[in-house]
Amino acid sequence: MAEGTVAADQLRLFIERIERLEEEKKAIADDVRDVYSEAKANGYDTKTMRAIVRLRKLETHTRQEMDALLETYRSALGLR
Amino acid sequence: MAEGTVAADQLRLFIERIERLEEEKKAIADDVRDVYSEAKANGYDTKTMRAIVRLRKLETHTRQEMDALLETYRSALGLR
Amino acid sequence: MAEGTVAADQLRLFIERIERLEEEKKAIADDVRDVYSEAKANGYDTKTMRAIVRLRKLETHTRQEMDALLETYRSALGLR
Amino acid sequence: MAEGTVAADQLRLFIERIERLEEEKKAIADDVRDVYSEAKANGYDTKTMRAIVRLRKLETHTRQEMDALLETYRSALGLR
DNA sequence: ACGTTTGCGCTTTAGC
DNA sequence: GCTAAAGCGCAAACGT
């Protein structure tokens, strides 16, 4: 079998793995939508919920960034 | 137990389900990145690969639209 | 003068306004780079500085998001 | 006054200069958005406009690369 | 100087 | 239909 074919097959496999993963990702995104719909059906305000999720994510990021900054300080000051 | 507490618990569960799903989604996105990295390590150009994935997605979408249109025609014409 | 020409002139003016603004934006981005360079020349660690700027921006966003969420609560509960 | 304080003050000034510049940058980005909105209100398709701006920027960039190459040749040949 | 990695801006999509 | 947020691609910045 020619080398070109091997390479083409390998590339094809990479592409297919990516496409499979992206399908999974989309499926999960749909699940998220479903949860919001279910919450809405139970009388919750989705706009508020989205704001809460966003805020909590932001707080997590801030916390992680603070830790990272501390690490950066240590490195910059040569502490260990 | 007060109704407010029940509602708060339920809301909390919805939020947690969403956050869990978003973590899964992020994990898959990371996997996609890994596949691109692996492909790059095997000598493939990731930018081109991304273009291919995008194109194939578009073609899939176009194909689905064509199928939908065909269905519409069938229904309109009473064919089955 | 034809209408088509008028429209073309108007579009051209919009495009040029945008391009002018984008040049200004780029100039400011260059200024930011210069400040980092100057700080580096004064012995400061730019990586740490960037982390600080990023953290402060994140904290500002978190604060704004908290305010927005509070507003959303008020609206959702019909408070005013 | 301690040296540490001086350094802290100087660092603080650098950070504030950067933050001020980034605010200006954001203000200009908002102006750009406004121009697109105004163009849209006048019946123009913003997506197409963005494509035009992108294309012209690319052409400018290509032109600059050509100029730079010419300069390189001049230097290499000792022409002036 | 180059390659890798991360941050930033843009585009597109989803919600209202 | 418009506004806003999420995802993606690119480019600059860091480390080797």
Side-chain angles (χ1 to χ4, degrees):
Chain A
M1 189 181 283
E3 291 231 349
T5 306
V6 174
D9 282 351
Q10 193 183 20
L11 177 59
R12 198 169 164 275
L13 287 172
F14 279 130
I15 297 288
E16 284 170 0
R17 276 173 65 193
I18 290 165
E19 288 175 341
R20 181 76 189 86
L21 286 169
E22 302 225 319
E23 277 171 32
E24 287 180 34
K25 201 172 68 175
K26 193 187 179 304
I28 293 177
D30 289 344
D31 288 346
V32 171
R33 284 194 50 177
D34 289 345
V35 177
Y36 276 116
S37 295
E38 194 184 334
K40 190 173 194 171
N42 278 274
Y44 293 102
D45 178 61
T46 56
K47 188 179 176 181
T48 302
M49 288 180 64
R50 286 177 191 277
I52 291 171
V53 171
R54 209 160 52 233
L55 178 59
R56 284 167 59 111
K57 188 182 290 180
L58 213 55
E59 283 170 346
T60 302
H61 285 172
T62 302
R63 191 90 188 82
Q64 290 172 345
E65 191 70 38
M66 284 174 65
D67 291 346
L69 178 57
L70 189 58
E71 266 316 294
T72 305
Y73 276 145
R74 285 183 191 280
S75 298
L77 298 174
L79 301 176
R80 201 94 307 264
Chain B
M1 190 179 280
E3 291 231 347
T5 306
V6 175
D9 282 351
Q10 193 182 19
L11 177 60
R12 196 167 163 276
L13 287 172
F14 278 129
I15 298 288
E16 284 169 1
R17 276 174 65 192
I18 290 165
E19 288 176 340
R20 181 79 190 84
L21 287 169
E22 302 226 318
E23 276 171 33
E24 288 180 32
K25 201 170 68 176
K26 194 188 178 303
I28 293 177
D30 290 345
D31 288 346
V32 172
R33 282 195 51 182
D34 290 345
V35 177
Y36 277 115
S37 296
E38 196 183 334
K40 187 175 195 170
N42 278 274
Y44 295 102
D45 179 62
T46 56
K47 190 174 175 179
T48 304
M49 286 180 65
R50 285 176 192 277
I52 291 171
V53 171
R54 214 182 308 131
L55 185 63
R56 282 168 58 113
K57 188 183 290 180
L58 212 64
E59 283 167 351
T60 301
H61 188 244
T62 304
R63 187 91 185 81
Q64 288 171 347
E65 279 190 356
M66 285 174 61
D67 289 347
L69 185 61
L70 187 59
E71 262 321 290
T72 304
Y73 282 168
R74 282 185 192 278
S75 297
L77 298 174
L79 300 177
R80 204 79 324 248
Chain C
M1 191 181 279
E3 291 233 347
T5 306
V6 175
D9 282 350
Q10 192 184 21
L11 177 59
R12 198 168 165 276
L13 287 172
F14 278 129
I15 298 288
E16 284 169 1
R17 276 173 66 193
I18 290 165
E19 288 177 339
R20 181 77 190 85
L21 286 168
E22 301 227 318
E23 276 170 32
E24 288 180 33
K25 201 172 68 176
K26 193 186 180 304
I28 293 177
D30 290 345
D31 287 346
V32 172
R33 284 196 51 178
D34 290 345
V35 177
Y36 277 114
S37 296
E38 195 183 335
K40 190 174 195 171
N42 278 274
Y44 293 102
D45 179 62
T46 56
K47 189 177 177 181
T48 302
M49 287 180 64
R50 285 177 191 276
I52 292 171
V53 171
R54 208 160 52 233
L55 178 59
R56 283 167 58 111
K57 188 183 289 180
L58 214 56
E59 283 170 345
T60 301
H61 284 172
T62 302
R63 190 89 189 84
Q64 289 171 347
E65 191 69 36
M66 284 174 65
D67 291 346
L69 178 57
L70 189 59
E71 264 317 292
T72 305
Y73 275 144
R74 285 184 191 280
S75 296
L77 299 174
L79 301 177
R80 200 95 301 265
Chain D
M1 191 181 281
E3 289 230 350
T5 306
V6 175
D9 282 351
Q10 194 183 17
L11 177 59
R12 198 168 163 274
L13 287 173
F14 278 128
I15 298 288
E16 284 170 0
R17 276 173 66 193
I18 289 164
E19 288 176 341
R20 180 77 189 86
L21 286 169
E22 302 225 320
E23 276 170 32
E24 287 180 33
K25 201 171 68 175
K26 194 188 178 303
I28 293 177
D30 290 344
D31 288 346
V32 171
R33 282 196 51 179
D34 289 346
V35 177
Y36 277 115
S37 295
E38 195 183 333
K40 188 173 196 170
N42 278 274
Y44 294 103
D45 179 61
T46 57
K47 190 175 177 180
T48 304
M49 286 181 65
R50 286 177 191 275
I52 291 172
V53 171
R54 213 183 308 130
L55 186 62
R56 284 168 56 114
K57 188 183 290 179
L58 211 64
E59 283 166 353
T60 302
H61 188 244
T62 304
R63 187 91 184 82
Q64 288 171 346
E65 278 190 357
M66 285 173 61
D67 290 347
L69 186 60
L70 187 60
E71 262 320 290
T72 304
Y73 282 167
R74 281 184 192 280
S75 298
L77 298 174
L79 300 178
R80 206 82 323 252

